[in-house]
Amino acid sequence: MTLFKIGISVIGIYACFLTWGVLQERISTTPYGEKKDGRFRYFIFLNMIQSLLASTVAFSCLTITGKTIIENINLSLIKSLIQVAFVGTIGPPFGYESLKHIDYPTIILGKSCKLVPVMMMNVILYRKKFPFYKYIVVFLVTVGVSAFMLLQPISEKKKNMASNSLYGIMLLSTNLLIDGITNSTQDQIFHKFKITGLQMMFFMNLFSGAFTFSYLLLNYPELNNAIEFCGKYPEVIKDILLFSLCGAVGQCFIFFTLQNFGSLVVVTITVTRKLFTMLISIFWFDHHLSIGQWFAVALVFSGIGLESYIKKLDNSKNKLDKIHDSEKKK
């Protein structure tokens, strides 16, 4: 059953966020209007719409399943959710800004190493103890994904990206630390409170949307320009709604995985997404990998295989313990 749940999570996250990525590129690169002179550049506005729609989707799912939003909700939990929503909201701008000041290999390393700050923040902030094999799994997956991505042929456009600067490295590091704080705090909230994934999704996106809207009110020209752009080029509205809906459905799978398996599993799924899509393209479109990339794939599968093997041993041990306990009671 556990393997089935993880399989559903992987398929849902991959499908939604691959589509989400295509729609994001469409919005940011498509020239809108009859004269093709309109370029959408209002990404904080886009994040706000996505947060509010994701909150609406979570509310709808809770209603359909017959659960209430406020079930098991208290003031202490609300404070924690506001804090994690705020931290999660301020993280992405550091990542976006860092792209202007670092080169392509550094971007790849940053995207591939997200497991490290998640584990680190769990240990530092919440004194969480992981079994030794977890550190080996994180090491294998991180090195494997990094090597796979770095050994991929780089286009001329990516080669000509900005060179590294200390400012860019600091921005990227801040973004990764904030991601680690966000994910580790979500783990802590699930551990401490009786809250479902959909409830957390609803409140986090509601608060995140409120924070983003407050920022746009303070920076009113950006909000006004975004609304004017949508009025002038109404075809962008469909793309924005599709993008936001796709992200919202993807978040349903992410928060389901967070609730059942924790942030390390979620981040493992997201950082290996590119690798697995490349593997699919090998068989689908007859693409080829270098020997180094195959070695990197082997590292990732070694990490995932080690995790699965030890979990299987733990499950078998738990079943045997239950059988022995029941026999003793007889």
Side-chain angles (χ1 to χ4, degrees):
M1 190 62 181
T2 299
L3 197 61
F4 176 75
K5 285 183 178 179
I6 290 178
I8 293 295
S9 300
V10 170
I11 293 168
I13 291 170
Y14 281 9
C16 290
F17 284 101
L18 284 171
T19 311
W20 179 86
V22 170
L23 290 166
Q24 184 182 47
E25 186 171 349
R26 175 179 169 79
I27 292 170
S28 59
T29 60
T30 299
Y32 290 97
E34 291 181 5
K35 296 180 180 179
K36 306 295 182 185
D37 58 345
R39 294 273 183 177
F40 189 86
R41 293 289 181 267
Y42 313 105
F43 296 105
I44 295 177
F45 174 82
L46 185 65
N47 286 343
M48 180 190 73
I49 297 298
Q50 180 178 239
S51 293
L52 295 176
L53 188 57
S55 185
T56 304
V57 167
F59 176 80
S60 301
C61 290
L62 283 166
T63 304
I64 291 168
T65 55
K67 295 178 181 177
T68 61
I69 297 168
I70 58 171
E71 186 178 342
N72 297 319
I73 302 297
N74 54 53
L75 186 59
S76 178
L77 173 56
I78 291 294
K79 286 179 180 177
S80 297
L81 290 170
I82 290 173
Q83 288 169 356
V84 75
F86 177 74
V87 173
T89 302
I90 64 173
F94 287 97
Y96 296 144
E97 183 63 23
S98 71
L99 301 181
K100 303 173 187 176
H101 306 281
I102 54 178
D103 60 18
Y104 183 69
T106 308
I107 292 171
I108 291 302
L109 284 172
K111 288 181 177 179
S112 304
C113 295
K114 289 186 176 183
L115 278 166
V116 176
V118 172
M119 178 172 269
M120 188 172 73
M121 289 297 107
N122 263 301
V123 172
I124 294 171
L125 295 179
Y126 301 110
R127 301 291 187 267
K128 188 171 182 179
K129 293 182 179 179
F130 294 98
F132 182 69
Y133 81 88
K134 282 276 187 184
Y135 294 96
I136 298 173
V137 170
V138 167
F139 174 78
L140 289 172
V141 172
T142 299
V143 172
V145 171
S146 300
F148 182 88
M149 298 299 292
L150 289 171
L151 290 169
Q152 219 176 321
I154 303 174
S155 65
E156 284 300 318
K157 183 180 178 182
K158 288 176 180 175
K159 282 181 183 177
N160 295 328
M161 288 178 71
S163 59
N164 284 334
S165 70
L166 181 60
Y167 178 63
I169 299 294
M170 286 174 63
L171 288 170
L172 179 62
S173 300
T174 303
N175 173 247
L176 289 172
L177 283 174
I178 289 173
D179 279 352
I181 292 168
T182 302
N183 285 296
S184 59
T185 305
Q186 287 173 324
D187 282 341
Q188 182 67 11
I189 289 171
F190 278 121
H191 177 73
K192 188 176 179 182
F193 301 99
K194 291 181 178 178
I195 183 174
T196 67
L198 284 173
Q199 283 177 306
M200 181 181 280
M201 178 179 165
F202 170 78
F203 283 108
M204 276 195 64
N205 280 285
L206 182 67
F207 295 141
S208 181
F211 288 135
T212 311
F213 181 64
S214 300
Y215 170 82
L216 288 172
L217 284 178
L218 294 171
N219 190 23
Y220 185 71
E222 183 167 351
L223 177 61
N224 188 52
N225 291 339
I227 294 170
E228 283 185 356
F229 186 94
C230 292
K232 187 177 181 181
Y233 306 103
E235 61 268 33
V236 75
I237 296 173
K238 182 187 76 173
D239 289 340
I240 289 173
L241 291 176
L242 281 173
F243 166 83
S244 301
L245 183 61
C246 201
V249 175
Q251 281 194 44
C252 290
F253 288 102
I254 281 182
F255 281 95
F256 169 81
T257 311
L258 267 173
Q259 180 187 347
N260 288 280
F261 306 108
S263 60
L264 279 178
V265 173
V266 171
V267 179
T268 300
I269 293 171
T270 56
V271 299
T272 55
R273 188 181 70 205
K274 180 71 174 177
L275 180 145
F276 282 108
T277 51
M278 282 289 292
L279 288 178
I280 291 169
S281 73
I282 291 167
F283 300 104
W284 198 270
F285 300 107
D286 198 30
H287 289 166
H288 300 283
L289 297 181
S290 66
I291 294 173
Q293 283 181 302
W294 279 116
F295 179 71
V297 170
L299 283 178
V300 173
F301 276 104
S302 297
I304 294 171
L306 177 62
E307 174 89 18
S308 301
Y309 175 71
I310 292 178
K311 280 204 181 260
K312 190 175 180 181
L313 286 179
D314 288 342
N315 289 336
S316 299
K317 185 176 179 297
N318 290 335
K319 284 179 182 177
L320 285 172
D321 289 342
K322 286 180 181 178
I323 292 169
H324 289 150
D325 289 341
S326 62
E327 287 178 350
K328 283 178 182 178
K329 287 177 182 179
K330 288 178 182 178

